[in-house]
Structures are given as C-alpha cells and as structure tokens.
C-alpha cells in the first residue's frame, strides 16, 4: 500500500535491486524478517515495495540518524552481507530528503 | 534496470500508485508514450519502475526546475488528468533531493 507519511520534510531510502537466482528461500525468509524488524525501528515512518524484474523498496524515516541506526542493526548487517555474497546481482541505495509531496485518492474505484 | 545516475546531489520523484481496473489498454499506451517522452526531457537522468499490486516509479533529475517543466509537458498533463479520472485509485508523488548514494555490482551472478 502507499505509505501514510507525515508532512515533509522527512527522509526516504530508495533501494533498487536486481536479484540472482541463488538461495531464493533464504532471501524470502530474510525479506519477511526485515519487513518485521524495520517496522519497530525508532524513526521509521513506513515503506513501499514492488518487484518486477527490478525491485524497488522505498523506506521513509524521520531523520538521517534513524536511517544510519537501521543500517547498523545486527540482523540487517547480516542481510547486507548475504545480499552482496548471494542474493543480489546489483543494487543501489539512495538517501534522500523528501522536500514536498502531494497525492490523490479516489474512493469510488476498484483496486486491481 | 538500475538507473545510472551521476554523483549526488540530484533529485528524485517517487511516484507510488494503485491502479483501477478501468481502461487498461489506454493506460498501457500512455505508459509507453510517457516512457518515450520523459527520456527526451531536459535534465532527465534516468528512471526505474516496478509494479506488484503497488506501482513504484522513480525518476531522476538534475534540478527542481527540470521536474517542474516535465510536470507541465502537455501530453503529461493529459496523462495526469486521465490518471485522476480513470486509471488510478490512489497515488502519491514525493519530490526528493538525493543527498548520498552507494551501490554494488556482482559481475559473476545470473540475473533473474
């Protein structure tokens, strides 16, 4: 779903990745665990994720310090190590300051 | 693919959307046309896209002015109007300044 973030400014981490064919079960278990863990991090505001060949996960944070702390959580460090050695062909992480946002919601339509 | 962006700072537009079930052919034709058009906009640096229920498209730009100019391109304005009336259940657009990035590429793995 679309993350329900507060009024800017806040921060976004855009994580774009291409997977390998290796250890798909291990990858899935890690993804579920990271999804659970990230949500209890101080300063976490929400995240959005989609994969269609290329995977894009955007997480939202209230400060750069919160992002830095999440990067250093031990389970997340292990995931980063396995990501490089096994799961990812390539990735790019971009740390951003969200300056402005706007949106739209139509209450009458059917989601597919 | 992962966009080959320059050294930060640069700008990102994160467009997160949920589609309706309406006019899927019209939507697809628009998406192809916008994909073509965006690439010839001044200041465009690349984009990444994935949909898995939620759709996430991130486009990268060299300035806020370039983002503002792309928003006002007439074909893009028509797409925005149709987006609200027909194609999207909801969307959120976030304008960001990319402060920092880092990445990884493994030349030995097979992409899936």
């Amino acid at each position: 779903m679309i993350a329900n973030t507060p009024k800017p400014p806040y921060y976004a981490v855009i994580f774009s990745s291409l997977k390998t064919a290796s250890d798909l079960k291990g990858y899935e278990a890690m993804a579920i665990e990271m999804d659970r863990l990230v949500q209890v991090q101080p300063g976490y505001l929400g995240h959005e994720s989609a994969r269609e060949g290329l995977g894009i996960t955007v997480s939202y944070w209230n400060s750069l310090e919160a992002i830095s702390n999440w990067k250093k959580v031990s389970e997340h460090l292990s995931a980063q190590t396995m990501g490089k050695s096994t799961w990812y062909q390539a990735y790019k992480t971009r740390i951003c300051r969200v300056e402005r946002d706007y949106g739209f919601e139509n209450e009458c339509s059917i989601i597919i």
Side-chain angles (χ1 to χ4, degrees), chain A:
Chain A
M1 297 301 93
I2 297 175
N4 187 19
T5 39
K7 198 162 170 285
Y10 52 92
Y11 293 86
V13 179
I14 306 170
F15 179 72
S16 309
S17 66
L18 293 167
K19 280 167 65 182
T20 64
S22 305
D23 186 30
L24 297 179
K25 282 197 176 168
Y27 174 82
E28 197 173 325
M30 174 281 292
I32 290 168
E33 179 60 5
M34 289 305 113
D35 192 83
R36 189 189 65 77
L37 257 184
V38 73
Q39 299 189 44
V40 296
Q41 295 309 304
Y44 167 83
L45 301 174
H47 75 277
E48 299 164 349
S49 201
R51 180 171 297 277
E52 197 181 355
L54 179 69
I56 305 174
T57 296
V58 189
S59 58
Y60 301 103
W61 301 88
N62 70 4
S63 70
L64 290 173
E65 193 189 2
I67 292 169
S68 174
N69 289 339
W70 166 232
K71 194 172 190 313
K72 290 180 278 190
V73 167
S74 63
E75 295 90 335
H76 192 198
L77 285 172
S78 306
Q80 289 164 49
T81 302
M82 278 293 287
K84 282 191 189 179
S85 68
T86 308
W87 295 322
Y88 294 120
Q89 160 69 14
Y91 65 73
K92 187 142 193 162
T93 303
R94 296 176 171 99
I95 317 289
C96 316
R97 181 182 148 102
V98 181
E99 306 282 357
R100 192 156 78 72
D101 66 13
Y102 55 90
F104 161 79
E105 192 159 354
N106 180 352
E107 299 296 344
C108 308
S109 303
I110 299 157
I111 299 174
I112 58 162

